[in-house]
Amino acid sequence: AQSVTQLGSHVSVSEGALVLLRCNYSSSVPPYLFWYVQYPNQGLQLLLKYTTGATLVKGINGFEAEFKKSETSFHLTKPSAHMSDAAEYFCAVSEWETSGSRLTFGEGTQLTVNP
Amino acid sequence: DGGITQSPKYLFRKEGQNVTLSCEQNLNHDAMYWYRQDPGQGLRLIYYSQIVNDFQKGDIAEGYSVSREKKESFPLTVTSAQKNPTAFYLCASRTGTSVYEQYFGPGTRLTVT
């Protein structure tokens, strides 16, 4: 079964600083990878996804992520943090079973942006 | 507007009572999912359904039940057998042609005392 590890349950940055949220996965097959964002008491919103092709993926709100197969990583970055980026971020990997597809999520990283 | 509706947003129940959480989607998606979210534990899959009248257990199905009688509806019942039912519950759906990405509802926060 696939698994996802997000390094750092809490990350704090200053407004305008680089945001780097780390995600490593394990998968026995080429993975499809996702980053979701969750604001307090809300559902998850898809930020970006990697399926095939270009390994640098751009998403919404200025975020991007790079798929590195050799490192089994899919880290999320944003050059300049904004106060509105404060939220919880989840990395996920897809998994296909005979009963259908499912996502396996990491435990999440809470991003705090300081003024 | 197309989307996923979960109701109610907040739900309170006494211990020992069964409670049903609603999930409706008008996206014409084939697959639907239920997750439980607890602080620091990410999302854990309870049940999922790829087509009407069929569903599979996820990783933490004990104490929960579901039905899928209509394509747009996937209600979750939290039974009295669930030892720690207080949590945030999220419903999601996926179109049959997408590369596995799921779309989420706004969630229901269940508190059992």
Side-chain angles (χ1 to χ4, degrees):
Chain A
Q2 275 86 335
S3 67
V4 176
T5 301
Q6 291 185 238
L7 297 174
S9 59
H10 290 84
V11 170
S12 182
V13 300
S14 298
E15 191 174 19
L18 171 72
V19 175
L20 171 60
L21 305 182
R22 300 177 187 274
C23 173
N24 288 89
Y25 68 91
S26 70
S27 175
S28 57
V29 297
Y32 291 165
L33 295 158
F34 305 84
W35 274 101
Y36 284 86
V37 61
Q38 184 183 33
Y39 298 98
N41 291 313
Q42 294 186 24
L44 275 67
Q45 179 183 7
L46 181 67
L47 271 179
L48 50 78
K49 64 184 178 186
Y50 168 79
T51 55
T52 58
T55 56
L56 183 62
V57 180
K58 294 187 185 301
I60 61 172
N61 302 338
F63 283 94
E64 61 183 34
E66 186 170 12
F67 170 62
K68 292 188 177 181
K69 184 178 179 181
S70 61
E71 298 177 8
T72 61
S73 69
F74 190 56
H75 301 331
L76 182 71
T77 60
K78 182 174 181 178
S80 177
H82 192 273
M83 296 296 288
S84 61
D85 295 326
E88 189 155 23
Y89 292 80
F90 292 94
C91 181
V93 62
S94 65
E95 187 169 0
W96 179 262
E97 300 174 343
T98 53
S99 55
S101 78
R102 51 174 289 175
L103 295 177
T104 297
F105 287 85
E107 294 182 350
T109 298
Q110 183 69 46
L111 175 66
T112 300
V113 181
N114 302 306
Chain B
D1 287 336
I4 302 173
T5 304
Q6 291 186 245
S7 60
K9 180 68 174 176
Y10 299 94
L11 193 52
F12 298 88
R13 282 292 184 271
K14 294 290 187 184
E15 193 173 331
Q17 294 179 337
N18 291 355
V19 59
T20 297
L21 280 60
S22 169
C23 178
E24 303 279 332
Q25 53 99 359
N26 61 4
L27 300 167
N28 199 32
H29 284 179
D30 297 303
M32 296 186 75
Y33 303 79
W34 273 107
Y35 294 91
R36 171 182 172 135
Q37 185 177 20
D38 297 281
Q41 296 193 45
L43 278 72
R44 293 183 289 169
L45 183 63
I46 305 173
Y47 269 98
Y48 60 111
S49 167
Q50 303 294 318
I51 56 172
V52 174
N53 293 323
D54 188 38
F55 48 83
Q56 290 74 42
K57 292 182 179 179
D59 301 321
I60 56 165
E62 185 175 351
Y64 299 97
S65 66
V66 293
S67 62
R68 187 86 187 275
E69 297 176 359
K70 299 186 296 183
K71 186 175 184 178
E72 59 269 24
S73 179
F74 191 41
L76 173 74
T77 296
V78 184
T79 75
S80 56
Q82 168 51 232
K83 292 184 174 61
N84 296 298
T86 294
F88 191 50
Y89 291 87
L90 287 159
C91 178
S93 69
R94 177 184 63 81
T95 175
T97 57
S98 77
V99 286
Y100 310 148
E101 69 197 65
Q102 295 176 17
Y103 297 85
F104 284 79
T108 292
R109 187 166 296 280
L110 173 65
T111 303
V112 177
T113 58

